[in-house]
Coordinates of all heavy atoms in Angstrom, one line a residue:
T1 N 121.5 95.4 99.9 CA 122.7 96.2 100.0 C 122.8 97.0 101.3 O 121.7 97.3 101.9 CB 122.9 97.2 98.8 OG1 121.8 98.2 98.9 CG2 122.8 96.6 97.5
Q2 N 124.0 97.3 101.7 CA 124.2 98.1 102.9 C 123.5 99.5 102.8 O 122.8 99.9 103.8 CB 125.7 98.3 103.2 CG 126.0 99.0 104.5 CD 125.6 98.3 105.7 OE1 125.5 97.0 105.7 NE2 125.4 99.0 106.8
R3 N 123.6 100.1 101.7 CA 122.9 101.4 101.5 C 121.4 101.4 101.7 O 120.9 102.2 102.4 CB 123.3 101.9 100.1 CG 122.7 103.3 99.8 CD 123.1 103.8 98.4 NE 122.5 103.1 97.4 CZ 121.3 103.3 96.9 NH1 120.5 104.2 97.4 NH2 120.8 102.5 95.9
I4 N 120.8 100.3 101.2 CA 119.3 100.2 101.3 C 119.0 99.8 102.8 O 118.0 100.3 103.3 CB 118.8 99.2 100.3 CG1 119.0 99.7 98.9 CG2 117.3 98.9 100.6 CD1 118.7 98.7 97.8
R5 N 119.8 99.0 103.4 CA 119.6 98.6 104.8 C 119.6 99.9 105.7 O 118.8 100.1 106.5 CB 120.6 97.6 105.3 CG 120.3 96.2 104.8 CD 121.2 95.2 105.5 NE 122.6 95.3 105.2 CZ 123.3 94.8 104.1 NH1 122.6 94.0 103.3 NH2 124.6 95.0 104.0
E6 N 120.6 100.7 105.4 CA 120.8 101.9 106.2 C 119.6 102.9 106.0 O 119.1 103.5 106.9 CB 122.1 102.6 105.9 CG 123.3 101.8 106.5 CD 124.6 102.4 106.0 OE1 124.7 103.3 105.2 OE2 125.7 101.8 106.4
C7 N 119.2 103.0 104.7 CA 118.1 103.9 104.3 C 116.8 103.4 105.1 O 116.1 104.2 105.7 CB 117.9 103.9 102.8 SG 116.6 104.9 102.3
F8 N 116.5 102.1 105.0 CA 115.3 101.6 105.7 C 115.4 101.8 107.2 O 114.4 102.2 107.8 CB 115.2 100.1 105.4 CG 114.4 99.8 104.2 CD1 114.6 100.4 103.0 CD2 113.4 98.8 104.2 CE1 113.8 100.1 101.9 CE2 112.6 98.5 103.1 CZ 112.8 99.1 101.9
A9 N 116.6 101.6 107.8 CA 116.7 101.7 109.2 C 116.5 103.2 109.6 O 115.9 103.5 110.6 CB 118.1 101.2 109.7
E10 N 117.1 104.1 108.8 CA 117.0 105.5 109.1 C 115.5 106.0 109.0 O 115.0 106.7 109.9 CB 117.9 106.4 108.2 CG 117.7 107.9 108.3 CD 117.9 108.4 109.7 OE1 118.7 107.9 110.4 OE2 117.2 109.4 110.0
L11 N 114.9 105.6 107.9 CA 113.4 106.0 107.8 C 112.6 105.4 108.9 O 111.7 106.1 109.5 CB 112.9 105.5 106.4 CG 113.2 106.3 105.2 CD1 112.8 105.6 104.0 CD2 112.4 107.6 105.3
G12 N 112.9 104.2 109.3 CA 112.2 103.5 110.4 C 112.4 104.3 111.7 O 111.4 104.6 112.5
R13 N 113.6 104.7 112.0 CA 113.9 105.5 113.2 C 113.2 106.9 113.1 O 112.6 107.3 114.1 CB 115.4 105.7 113.4 CG 116.1 104.5 113.9 CD 117.6 104.9 114.3 NE 118.4 105.3 113.1 CZ 119.0 104.4 112.4 NH1 118.9 103.1 112.6 NH2 119.7 104.8 111.3
R14 N 113.2 107.5 112.0 CA 112.5 108.8 111.8 C 111.0 108.6 112.1 O 110.4 109.5 112.8 CB 112.7 109.3 110.4 CG 112.3 110.8 110.3 CD 112.6 111.5 109.1 NE 113.8 111.0 108.4 CZ 113.9 111.1 107.0 NH1 113.0 111.6 106.3 NH2 115.0 110.6 106.5
F15 N 110.4 107.6 111.5 CA 109.0 107.4 111.8 C 108.7 107.2 113.3 O 107.8 107.7 113.9 CB 108.4 106.2 111.0 CG 108.0 106.6 109.6 CD1 108.7 106.3 108.5 CD2 106.7 107.2 109.4 CE1 108.3 106.6 107.2 CE2 106.3 107.5 108.1 CZ 107.1 107.2 107.0
S16 N 109.6 106.3 113.9 CA 109.4 106.1 115.4 C 109.5 107.3 116.2 O 108.8 107.6 117.1 CB 110.5 105.1 115.8 OG 110.3 103.8 115.3
D17 N 110.5 108.2 115.8 CA 110.7 109.4 116.6 C 109.5 110.3 116.4 O 109.0 111.0 117.4 CB 111.9 110.2 116.1 CG 113.2 109.5 116.5 OD1 113.2 108.6 117.3 OD2 114.3 109.9 115.9
L18 N 108.9 110.4 115.2 CA 107.8 111.2 114.9 C 106.5 110.7 115.7 O 105.8 111.5 116.2 CB 107.5 111.3 113.4 CG 108.4 112.1 112.6 CD1 108.2 111.9 111.1 CD2 108.4 113.6 112.9
V19 N 106.4 109.4 115.7 CA 105.3 108.8 116.5 C 105.4 109.1 118.0 O 104.4 109.5 118.6 CB 105.2 107.3 116.3 CG1 104.2 106.6 117.2 CG2 104.8 107.0 114.8
T20 N 106.6 109.0 118.5 CA 106.8 109.4 119.9 C 106.4 110.8 120.2 O 105.7 111.1 121.2 CB 108.3 109.1 120.3 OG1 108.6 107.8 120.1 CG2 108.6 109.5 121.7
I21 N 106.8 111.7 119.4 CA 106.5 113.1 119.5 C 104.9 113.3 119.4 O 104.3 114.0 120.1 CB 107.2 114.0 118.5 CG1 108.7 114.0 118.8 CG2 106.7 115.4 118.5 CD1 109.6 114.6 117.7
G22 N 104.4 112.6 118.4 CA 103.0 112.7 118.1 C 102.1 112.2 119.2 O 100.9 112.7 119.3
K23 N 102.6 111.3 120.0 CA 101.7 110.8 121.1 C 101.7 111.7 122.3 O 100.9 111.5 123.2 CB 102.3 109.4 121.5 CG 101.9 108.4 120.5 CD 102.4 107.0 121.0 CE 102.0 105.9 120.0 NZ 102.4 104.6 120.4
E24 N 102.6 112.7 122.3 CA 102.6 113.7 123.4 C 101.4 114.7 123.2 O 100.9 114.8 122.1 CB 103.9 114.5 123.4 CG 105.1 113.7 123.7 CD 105.1 113.1 125.1 OE1 104.6 113.9 126.1 OE2 105.5 112.0 125.3
P25 N 100.9 115.3 124.3 CA 99.8 116.2 124.1 C 100.1 117.3 123.1 O 101.1 118.0 123.1 CB 99.6 116.9 125.5 CG 100.2 115.8 126.5 CD 101.3 115.2 125.7
G26 N 99.2 117.4 122.1 CA 99.4 118.4 121.0 C 100.4 118.0 120.0 O 100.6 118.7 119.0
G27 N 101.0 116.9 120.2 CA 102.1 116.5 119.3 C 101.7 116.0 117.9 O 102.4 116.2 116.9
A28 N 100.5 115.5 117.8 CA 100.0 115.0 116.5 C 99.9 116.2 115.5 O 100.3 116.0 114.3 CB 98.6 114.4 116.6
E29 N 99.5 117.3 115.9 CA 99.5 118.5 115.0 C 100.9 118.9 114.6 O 101.1 119.3 113.4 CB 98.8 119.6 115.7 CG 97.3 119.4 115.9 CD 96.6 120.6 116.6 OE1 97.2 121.7 116.6 OE2 95.5 120.4 117.1
I30 N 101.8 118.8 115.5 CA 103.2 119.2 115.2 C 103.8 118.2 114.2 O 104.6 118.7 113.3 CB 104.0 119.2 116.5 CG1 103.5 120.3 117.4 CG2 105.5 119.3 116.2 CD1 104.1 120.2 118.8
V31 N 103.5 116.9 114.3 CA 104.2 116.0 113.4 C 103.4 115.6 112.1 O 103.9 114.8 111.3 CB 104.6 114.7 114.2 CG1 105.6 115.0 115.3 CG2 103.4 114.0 114.7
A32 N 102.2 116.1 112.0 CA 101.4 115.7 110.8 C 102.1 116.0 109.5 O 102.2 115.1 108.7 CB 100.1 116.5 110.8
D33 N 102.7 117.2 109.3 CA 103.4 117.4 108.0 C 104.7 116.6 107.9 O 104.9 116.0 106.8 CB 103.7 118.9 107.9 CG 102.4 119.7 107.5 OD1 101.5 119.1 106.9 OD2 102.4 120.9 107.7
P34 N 105.5 116.5 108.9 CA 106.7 115.7 108.8 C 106.4 114.2 108.5 O 107.1 113.6 107.8 CB 107.4 115.9 110.2 CG 107.0 117.2 110.6 CD 105.5 117.4 110.2
I35 N 105.3 113.7 109.1 CA 104.9 112.3 108.8 C 104.5 112.2 107.3 O 104.9 111.3 106.7 CB 103.8 111.8 109.8 CG1 104.3 111.6 111.1 CG2 103.1 110.6 109.2 CD1 103.3 111.2 112.2
R36 N 103.7 113.2 106.9 CA 103.3 113.1 105.4 C 104.6 113.2 104.5 O 104.7 112.4 103.5 CB 102.4 114.2 105.1 CG 100.9 114.0 105.5 CD 100.0 115.0 105.0 NE 99.9 116.2 105.7 CZ 99.2 116.4 106.8 NH1 98.5 115.5 107.3 NH2 99.2 117.6 107.4
N37 N 105.5 114.0 104.9 CA 106.8 114.1 104.1 C 107.6 112.8 104.2 O 108.1 112.3 103.2 CB 107.6 115.2 104.6 CG 107.0 116.6 104.3 OD1 106.2 116.8 103.5 ND2 107.4 117.6 105.1
A38 N 107.6 112.2 105.4 CA 108.3 110.9 105.5 C 107.6 109.8 104.7 O 108.3 108.9 104.1 CB 108.4 110.5 107.0
I39 N 106.3 109.8 104.7 CA 105.6 108.8 103.9 C 105.9 109.0 102.4 O 106.2 108.0 101.7 CB 104.1 108.9 104.1 CG1 103.7 108.4 105.5 CG2 103.3 108.2 103.1 CD1 102.3 108.6 106.0
R40 N 106.0 110.2 101.9 CA 106.3 110.4 100.5 C 107.8 109.9 100.3 O 108.0 109.3 99.2 CB 106.2 111.9 100.2 CG 104.8 112.3 99.8 CD 104.7 113.7 99.2 NE 105.0 114.8 100.2 CZ 104.1 115.3 101.0 NH1 102.9 114.9 100.9 NH2 104.4 116.3 101.8
E41 N 108.7 110.2 101.2 CA 110.0 109.8 101.0 C 110.1 108.2 101.0 O 110.8 107.6 100.2 CB 110.9 110.3 102.2 CG 112.4 110.0 102.0 CD 113.3 110.6 103.0 OE1 112.8 111.5 103.8 OE2 114.4 110.1 103.1
A42 N 109.4 107.6 101.9 CA 109.4 106.1 101.9 C 108.8 105.6 100.6 O 109.3 104.6 100.1 CB 108.5 105.6 103.1
E43 N 107.7 106.2 100.1 CA 107.2 105.8 98.8 C 108.2 105.9 97.7 O 108.3 105.0 96.8 CB 105.9 106.6 98.5 CG 104.7 106.2 99.4 CD 103.6 107.2 99.2 OE1 103.7 108.3 98.6 OE2 102.5 106.9 99.6
Q44 N 109.0 107.0 97.7 CA 110.0 107.2 96.7 C 111.1 106.1 96.8 O 111.5 105.6 95.8 CB 110.6 108.6 96.8 CG 109.7 109.7 96.4 CD 110.3 111.0 96.7 OE1 111.2 111.2 97.4 NE2 109.6 112.1 96.1
V45 N 111.5 105.8 98.0 CA 112.5 104.7 98.2 C 112.0 103.4 97.7 O 112.7 102.7 96.9 CB 112.9 104.6 99.7 CG1 113.7 103.4 99.9 CG2 113.7 105.9 100.1
L46 N 110.8 103.1 98.1 CA 110.2 101.8 97.6 C 110.0 101.8 96.1 O 110.2 100.7 95.5 CB 108.9 101.5 98.3 CG 109.0 101.3 99.8 CD1 107.6 101.3 100.5 CD2 109.8 100.1 100.2
D47 N 109.6 102.9 95.5 CA 109.4 103.0 94.1 C 110.8 102.7 93.4 O 110.8 102.0 92.4 CB 108.8 104.3 93.7 CG 108.5 104.4 92.2 OD1 107.8 103.5 91.7 OD2 108.9 105.3 91.5

């Protein structure tokens, strides 16, 4: 469905953005909690 396609695409973009930030100096500490939250959200979507 379009809704699921959009959800997957949005989550993918969010993860990509967080990784980009995380690769900057000191960025991993900044994005650690948001990445954990995004992983939980992805798990809920997949569930």
Side-chain angles (χ1 to χ4, degrees):
T1 68
Q2 181 69 23
R3 183 177 66 83
I4 296 170
R5 285 190 294 272
E6 290 172 357
C7 181
F8 270 46
E10 172 57 32
L11 278 170
R13 281 190 297 274
R14 191 174 332 151
F15 274 103
S16 291
D17 291 346
L18 290 170
V19 169
T20 299
I21 294 167
K23 288 182 176 180
E24 294 296 320
E29 291 178 18
I30 294 168
V31 298
D33 284 336
I35 285 176
R36 281 191 280 278
N37 292 338
I39 288 172
R40 278 192 288 276
E41 185 176 345
E43 288 171 346
Q44 289 172 346
V45 168
L46 294 172
D47 188 50

